[in-house]
Amino acid sequence: MLHTIKKIGVLTSGGDSPGMNAAIRSVVRTCAFHDIECYGIYRGYEGMIEGDFEKMDARSVKGIINKGGTILKSARSKEFRTKEGRATAHAALKKAGIDAFVVIGGDGSFTGAMIFSQEYNFPVMGIPGTIDNDIFGTTHTLGYDTALNTVVEVIDKIRDTASSHNRLFFIEVMGRDVGHIALNVGVGAGAEEILIPEEDLGLDRLLESLRRSKRSGKSSSIVVVAEGDKIGKNVFELKDYVDQNLKEYEVRVSVLGHMQRGGSPSCFDRVLASRMGVKAVEGLITGKSNFMVGLKNDQMELTPLELAVKGKSKIDMELLRVSDIMTI
Ligand code: ATP
């Protein structure tokens, strides 16, 4: 059955990422363009349950395209995982007359939206917002490009001190399950080795690579390590291992942490967010539901939420080979 959409809600859920505000702006303005009322839903599903809504118009989202974080705030809601919680959320949406929503978040947020949509035949659309780029159905999630630029800039700075003191740095970046950030910043910042969750390069190879690097006269070495690297050692354990096995190196560790999630979104993320917001709202208007908006071959495409949640986002194996060649 086609729903005639009159009021659309928009929320950000799960971890924040740069570009979320630009996506909120796009959803609100696309609604205004099509004469549809738009409501901001504060603090993710938590605010949906509490009915924490605010009517937004084109001017409510001025001056936010360049801001990191999310003006709608984000949260994780235990209650929304329960039938009762979702029933309360549905009642709150109905009371406000909201008849569809766009959720900007990661796969957990999409799972919640999917379940809710099935239970109440409620139209939903997802916009992938997470720096990890770990979502199937899009080559880029919102915030990923910004995070890459932030991390490369930091590694360049660390390299300055590394080469002044002939040091080896292990730098931990985000990526528990996928190595997109590590692989790309590793290549982009010229790391000697990149340790990712997808491939176990082995400790022997790491030592050999570092020895080779020393022999070739390099004055500094950077090893980029994803949080979930497959060798199974964290950066501090890796430091201990190298301290014991390669006495010629002075080893330091840097864990980049949450700074990777902050900052003003890159131009790429702002444009992507603008395109995604338009596609999400226009998808809902044309009767589509339960999809995620994504970027494929530079086009906006819809992927069923179920696939987006179940599918695996894969790293570019050719880039791994490029990285090997670059560190010769
Ligand atoms: P991140 O990239 O930060 O992990 P995410 O969207 O995956 O983002 P989650 O904390 O996994 O973050 O999910 C966000 C919210 O979505 C949860 O707090 C919960 O309210 C809702 N959610 C997640 N999984 C489910 C589920 N199985 N059923 C209902 N709601 C869910």
Side-chain angles (χ1 to χ4, degrees):
M1 186 187 90
L2 269 189
H3 294 256
T4 313
I5 311 273
K6 294 196 187 72
K7 286 188 192 178
I8 292 180
V10 56
L11 67 150
T12 47
S13 169
D16 64 303
S17 68
M20 281 185 161
N21 280 327
I24 294 166
R25 171 181 181 270
S26 173
V27 168
V28 171
R29 292 202 170 161
T30 308
C31 284
F33 181 82
H34 289 288
D35 280 328
I36 290 170
E37 278 185 49
C38 190
Y39 281 78
I41 300 170
Y42 284 92
R43 296 173 293 113
Y45 293 122
E46 200 75 22
M48 189 183 282
I49 289 168
E50 291 170 21
D52 193 359
F53 310 144
E54 187 178 314
K55 192 171 170 187
M56 299 179 99
D57 62 24
R59 299 281 73 75
S60 325
V61 286
K62 67 174 193 277
I64 65 167
I65 193 168
N66 56 335
K67 301 274 192 290
T70 157
I71 57 159
L72 291 177
K73 313 284 181 197
S74 191
R76 301 191 198 270
S77 164
K78 276 198 186 135
E79 230 185 316
F80 197 76
R81 292 175 182 271
T82 66
K83 240 182 169 353
E84 298 71 31
R86 292 191 296 274
T88 313
H90 183 247
L93 290 171
K94 254 189 104 174
K95 189 169 169 218
I98 297 171
D99 37 29
F101 69 73
V102 177
V103 57
I104 307 165
D107 55 0
S109 304
F110 294 164
T111 305
M114 210 165 62
I115 295 171
F116 184 82
S117 171
Q118 281 154 5
E119 280 175 348
Y120 295 100
N121 188 26
F122 198 93
V124 299
M125 276 283 168
I127 291 182
T130 163
I131 65 162
D132 291 335
N133 207 33
D134 58 351
I135 295 187
F136 179 82
T138 187
T139 54
H140 289 75
T141 55
L142 280 186
Y144 170 56
D145 181 70
T146 304
L148 293 184
N149 288 306
T150 304
V151 175
V152 159
E153 198 183 322
V154 172
I155 297 179
D156 285 348
K157 287 178 178 156
I158 292 176
R159 178 148 341 244
D160 287 346
T161 176
S163 49
S164 303
H165 297 274
N166 282 335
R167 279 177 182 156
L168 160 64
F169 267 85
F170 283 106
I171 303 175
E172 186 190 275
V173 300
M174 283 192 175
R176 240 177 258 291
D177 306 310
V178 286
H180 290 295
I181 293 184
L183 182 55
N184 281 273
V185 300
V187 172
E192 277 58 47
E193 278 294 340
I194 304 167
L195 306 182
I196 53 176
E198 290 85 350
E199 293 270 304
D200 186 350
L201 300 178
L203 287 167
D204 291 343
R205 176 188 148 143
L206 176 65
L207 291 186
E208 185 42 45
S209 162
L210 293 173
R211 281 194 192 101
R212 199 176 60 228
S213 172
K214 199 78 176 170
R215 280 199 302 271
S216 71
K218 286 191 182 176
S219 61
S220 66
S221 288
I222 301 284
V223 177
V224 174
V225 185
E227 283 167 306
D229 85 275
K230 207 163 188 173
I231 287 183
K233 288 194 185 298
N234 66 38
V235 274
F236 297 99
E237 293 164 338
L238 286 168
K239 172 184 166 15
D240 290 345
Y241 185 80
V242 172
D243 277 343
Q244 283 157 19
N245 291 282
L246 283 182
K247 304 281 183 216
E248 61 268 42
Y249 268 108
E250 194 187 332
V251 190
R252 293 287 184 274
V253 165
S254 187
V255 177
L256 301 192
H258 282 84
M259 56 90 71
Q260 296 166 84
R261 289 232 293 245
S264 176
S266 64
C267 181
F268 181 91
D269 274 328
R270 297 180 199 190
V271 175
L272 183 64
S274 304
R275 294 173 75 186
M276 284 179 163
V278 170
K279 184 78 178 175
V281 171
E282 294 188 342
L284 285 170
I285 295 172
T286 52
K288 299 206 169 58
S289 173
N290 254 306
F291 286 96
M292 180 197 81
V293 176
L295 184 69
K296 284 187 192 167
N297 299 318
D298 204 35
Q299 299 297 314
M300 282 293 112
E301 304 258 342
L302 297 178
T303 298
L305 278 182
E306 196 174 354
L307 272 185
V309 167
K310 283 192 184 148
K312 278 258 164 283
S313 147
K314 295 206 170 75
I315 53 155
D316 180 356
M317 297 310 281
E318 176 60 11
L319 192 54
L320 202 55
R321 203 175 74 83
V322 168
S323 148
D324 279 348
I325 296 172
M326 291 304 108
T327 53
I328 186 102

